Amino acid sequence: MGSIARQKLSSDFQPLDEGTHLAVCNGVVDIGLQETPWGNKEQVWLRFEVPDERISFNRDGEEVEGPQIIWTRYNKTLTKKANLRKDLDAWRGRDFTAEELEGFDLFNLIGKPCLITVVHNQTDDRTYANIAGIAKILKNQEVPVWELDAIRFSPDDTDQYDDLPEWLQERFDARLEPPKPEAKADDDFKDDDPDDIDW
C-alpha cells in the first residue's frame, strides 16, 4: 500500500498556473457508477504530477517539498465522442485500434508523460485549475519520473482506499450498485449434454 501525502486546501492555496505543463500520470482511480445530471455514469479520475511546479506540505509533522498535482475526471467510456477517448488519442498520438477498443487497461497510463493544458475557473471566491487538454510530449523531450507513490484503485481493488484524498473517498463511498444482468429465460439454458458445460 502506498503512502500518499495529502494537502489540505487553505485560503492562500495557489492552484496550478494556467498554460502548458510537462506532467506524468501517477494515479488512476475508478470510482464506479456515479449519479450525474446526465444519467448514471462509470467515472474515473486521473492524477498528474507537474515536476516543474513545486509545493510545500506537511507529512507526519514535517515540512517537505514535492511536485504540484492536478486531478481530472472522465466518464469511463471509449465511445467516439467521449472526452476520455479524445484525450487519450491526443496523448498517445494515434487513434485506438479496434482491438484496443474492446478493452483498454487504464492502469497502463501510470508513469506515462504528457503535456497538459491548464485553465482556471472561478467558483464563488475560489479559483480552480482544470485540465483543458492533454497532448503527447515533444520528440526528444525529457521524460519526467513521478515522485509520489502511484495510486491504482478500482471497485475490484480497494487496497489503496486510505491513500485517496477524502473528497475522492466520499465520491467512491457514494457510488451506485451496477445493474445486475438480466436473468436468462429457461429456454436459453440447454442441459442435453452435461459434459459440454464449461466450468
Side-chain angles (χ1 to χ4, degrees):
M1 182 179 296
S3 175
I4 305 301
R6 295 180 181 83
Q7 179 182 341
K8 299 281 188 183
L9 294 183
S10 62
S11 58
D12 60 350
F13 173 74
Q14 294 298 314
L16 185 61
D17 290 341
E18 289 186 293
T20 301
H21 300 270
L22 179 63
V24 60
C25 179
N26 79 337
V28 175
V29 178
D30 181 344
I31 57 172
L33 190 64
Q34 299 287 318
E35 184 176 359
T36 80
W38 305 276
N40 299 337
K41 308 284 186 182
E42 287 190 89
Q43 293 187 335
V44 62
W45 287 78
L46 303 184
R47 185 179 75 172
F48 296 89
E49 290 186 16
V50 181
D52 290 339
E53 299 293 331
R54 312 302 292 180
I55 57 172
S56 296
F57 52 90
N58 190 283
R59 176 189 287 163
D60 299 329
E62 182 181 352
E63 194 77 8
V64 296
E65 182 194 79
Q68 194 151 357
I69 62 171
I70 187 170
W71 293 85
T72 190
R73 183 191 68 211
Y74 295 97
N75 291 330
K76 196 178 75 170
T77 176
L78 292 178
T79 56
K80 190 67 176 176
K81 295 183 178 180
N83 289 331
L84 179 60
R85 169 95 174 260
K86 293 174 184 177
D87 280 352
L88 290 182
D89 282 346
W91 185 352
R92 301 178 335 141
R94 63 181 179 84
D95 292 337
F96 278 88
T97 65
E99 183 180 359
E100 287 173 330
L101 289 174
E102 292 178 3
F104 181 79
D105 187 353
L106 294 175
F107 285 171
N108 288 335
L109 299 174
I110 293 176
K112 300 296 190 295
C114 60
L115 295 172
I116 59 172
T117 299
V118 175
V119 297
H120 284 177
N121 299 101
Q122 192 78 23
T123 301
D124 298 326
D125 61 346
R126 187 178 289 277
T127 300
Y128 293 91
N130 294 296
I131 294 178
I134 302 178
K136 186 176 182 179
I137 65 172
L138 303 176
K139 187 176 181 180
N140 299 324
Q141 191 166 14
E142 185 177 351
V143 176
V145 177
W146 75 80
E147 299 174 42
L148 303 176
D149 291 341
I151 297 179
R152 297 171 176 86
F153 182 91
S154 73
D156 297 324
D157 183 2
T158 60
D159 287 349
Q160 288 185 280
Y161 178 86
D162 291 338
D163 296 333
L164 303 180
E166 290 181 9
W167 58 269
L168 204 45
Q169 290 178 352
E170 291 171 0
R171 289 174 187 257
F172 177 72
D173 293 342
R175 71 192 183 283
L176 305 173
E177 287 295 324
K180 295 181 180 178
E182 294 183 11
K184 293 186 178 182
D186 291 341
D187 291 343
D188 292 339
F189 293 94
K190 299 183 183 295
D191 57 354
D192 298 332
D193 186 355
D195 292 335
D196 287 341
I197 296 175
D198 183 6
W199 298 101

